[in-house]
């Protein structure tokens, strides 16, 4: 599906076609497709090629689904219930380098995990699937449920699925369902020094 999102300059439709729906169809995702999404994420760039991202997933209808789903805020549960897979995006904050005894922080872990999830989302879009990132979840509960060690940060949960009928959504969400606009380029790009709102 091609999405009509006006741009100020020409870009590949890959970028404008990706958007975050809430009306999912409940269709199951096969492992081959799911692994293609992780494969795309794997090829993201990262500081010192440390590849700090980790993905913990639960497919709908499997035992791994519920522990992730339970940690979503009720609003996100209301629509993500019909996703095909939930993916927790986690990254390694610090580790002990070979030959050293002290742990060292990787200050770029979040930047790199962001690049990896975007690769995943774009690959999903190219395959006719939709990835919707969520910050609305109980971080501590998810850490406990998935046994995530303290040296890893939990960033987001991503719902992936096929597009469903938006009539299934509550009225208010039906109106918001669709690709969103962006701020003008001038609000985010400057030549030289910072000159945006402080
Ligand atoms: C880190 C992150 C957290 C988000 N949290 C939520 C969320 O908890 N619930 C939700 O419905 N959408 C959430 N979103 C979706 C954003 O609202 C959406 O990506 C943004 O409005 C841009 O729309 P688009 O992805 O359709 O282009 C989140 C997106 C990101 C990247």
């Amino acid at each position: 599906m091609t999405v009509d999102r006006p741009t100020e300059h020409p870009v590949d439709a890959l970028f404008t076609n990706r958007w975050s729906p809430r009306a999912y169809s409940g269709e199951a995702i096969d492992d081959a497709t799911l692994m293609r999404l992780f494969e795309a994420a794997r090829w993201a760039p990262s500081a010192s090629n440390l590849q700090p991202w980790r993905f913990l997933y639960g497919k709908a209808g499997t035992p791994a689904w519920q522990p992730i789903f339970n940690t979503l805020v009720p609003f996100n549960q209301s629509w993500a219930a019909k996703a095909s897979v939930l993916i927790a995006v986690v990254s390694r904050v610090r580790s002990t380098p070979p030959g050293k005894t002290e742990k060292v922080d990787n200050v770029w872990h979040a930047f790199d995990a962001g690049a990896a999830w975007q690769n995943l989302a774009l690959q999903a879009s190219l395959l006719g699937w939709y990835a919707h990132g969520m910050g609305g979840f109980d971080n501590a509960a998810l850490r406990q449920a998935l046994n995530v060690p303290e040296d890893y940060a939990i960033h987001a949960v991503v719902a992936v699925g096929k597009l469903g009928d938006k009539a299934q959504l509550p009225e208010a969400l039906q109106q918001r369902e669709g690709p969103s606009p962006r701020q003008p380029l001038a609000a985010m790009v400057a030549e030289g020094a910072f000159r945006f709102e402080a």
Side-chain angles (χ1 to χ4, degrees), residues 5 18-20 22 75-76 79 117 132-136 156 180 182:
R5 282 170 135 176
R18 183 220 57 80
W19 64 283
S20 308
R22 294 192 179 87
F75 170 72
N76 285 334
W79 58 266
W117 116 261
H132 189 145
M134 289 175 281
S180 55
R182 290 296 184 269

Side-chain angles (χ1 to χ4, degrees), residues 189-196:
V189 179
E191 184 174 10
F194 189 97
R195 53 179 163 81
F196 309 107

